[in-house]
Amino acid sequence: MPAAYEIRAGGDVKNKKQSMADLKLRRLNELNSRLREDLERPRIKVSEASMSLIQYCANTKDFMVPSMWGSVDKREDPYAPQQSDGCCTIM
């Protein structure tokens, strides 16, 4: 009489579960290290950052906002088209 049931090797399923657990653990460890790095990043208060930004905007001339700074001389404006005699000679 033939055997009705065969015994399977169930070790493959166990190995897959173990590798999935190892993968989850590695991902959690990587996330934990990224969060620790983020926690160690230097911080400043919002009020200090906003005051620094206001001072920068008040002291730095922006050529793209002529209503604030007035008209800009073409020689000083880095965004104005450059006047040149040409860069190439065609023969």
Side-chain angles (χ1 to χ4, degrees):
M1 177 154 98
Y5 300 103
E6 293 182 21
I7 299 174
R8 287 196 228 172
D12 191 35
V13 173
K14 195 174 194 178
N15 288 338
K16 285 183 183 179
K17 286 184 180 181
Q18 182 64 33
S19 66
M20 289 298 290
D22 290 340
L23 181 64
K24 286 181 182 180
L25 178 63
R26 187 174 60 206
R27 285 183 181 167
L28 285 173
N29 284 335
E30 289 172 359
L31 176 63
N32 193 14
S33 67
R34 283 193 304 263
L35 289 173
R36 285 184 191 275
E37 289 172 6
D38 191 33
L39 186 63
E40 292 170 358
R41 190 172 298 133
R43 311 276 184 197
I44 62 171
K45 294 179 180 179
V46 173
S47 58
E48 292 175 18
S50 58
M51 285 302 296
S52 174
L53 184 60
I54 289 170
Q55 288 175 353
Y56 174 81
C57 292
N59 297 328
T60 304
K61 194 170 188 177
D62 188 357
F63 298 107
M64 298 299 286
V65 188
S67 61
M68 172 95 172
W69 297 100
S71 63
V72 179
D73 188 16
K74 297 285 184 196
R75 288 174 281 152
E76 293 179 15
D77 190 359
Y79 301 109
Q82 298 295 322
Q83 300 285 335
S84 65
D85 295 334
C87 64
C88 302
T89 305
I90 299 175
M91 293 186 195

